Amino acid sequence: MEWYLKVLRQYATFSGRAHRQEYWMFFLVNFCISLAINIVAEFSGFVVLSMVYSLALLLPTLAVTSRRLHDTGRSAWWLLLLFIPLLGMAVILVLCALEGDQNSNQYGSNPKLVEGV
């Protein structure tokens, strides 16, 4: 939950780098919360709740994915691949799973070294 809150505190921060643990823990917690909201929305008939949550988390999700791509030395422009159905999402997931640059790159210093993770 700590990683989830960290990403929310950096709501629209597209600069810098995010290491794998930050990205994937946010992804996991976001998936679990989204699943729970969808179940509650389905039983209560209040489907709008799910859409509101998704819209509220759109910007932080794009921001953390952008920072994750920066960690691998790639520009956030790679996010445009998401407009290609299925293939784009698969490529982004693979890129986010790659290990980040061990040294500083054009987007900042290694977040593992900075945070001591």
Side-chain angles (χ1 to χ4, degrees):
M1 192 65 154
E2 186 177 316
W3 295 107
Y4 180 80
L5 295 175
K6 181 180 186 228
V7 170
L8 291 182
R9 282 191 294 272
Q10 296 177 325
Y11 191 84
T13 305
F14 288 84
S15 62
R17 294 169 61 173
H19 53 80
R20 279 189 294 190
Q21 185 176 11
E22 177 182 346
Y23 178 79
W24 289 108
M25 291 305 289
F26 171 78
F27 189 86
L28 176 67
V29 172
N30 187 34
F31 177 77
C32 292
I33 292 172
S34 183
L35 185 65
I37 287 175
N38 283 330
I39 290 170
V40 168
E42 188 67 33
F43 286 118
S44 69
F46 195 60
V47 182
V48 175
L49 184 64
S50 169
M51 292 188 304
V52 168
Y53 178 76
S54 295
L55 279 175
L57 270 285
L58 178 64
L59 202 53
T61 302
L62 289 174
V64 74
T65 306
S66 169
R67 292 193 311 270
R68 179 68 203 126
L69 289 170
H70 288 171
D71 192 42
T72 63
R74 290 172 179 79
S75 167
W77 287 104
W78 281 81
L79 286 173
L80 292 176
L81 288 175
L82 293 173
F83 288 111
I84 302 171
L86 297 177
L87 179 65
M89 177 60 97
V91 170
I92 294 297
L93 285 175
V94 167
L95 292 177
C96 287
L98 295 175
E99 187 172 352
D101 292 342
Q102 296 300 316
N103 300 315
S104 295
N105 65 18
Q106 63 195 21
Y107 302 105
S109 57
N110 186 347
K112 284 184 180 179
L113 300 176
V114 172
E115 295 174 6
V117 175

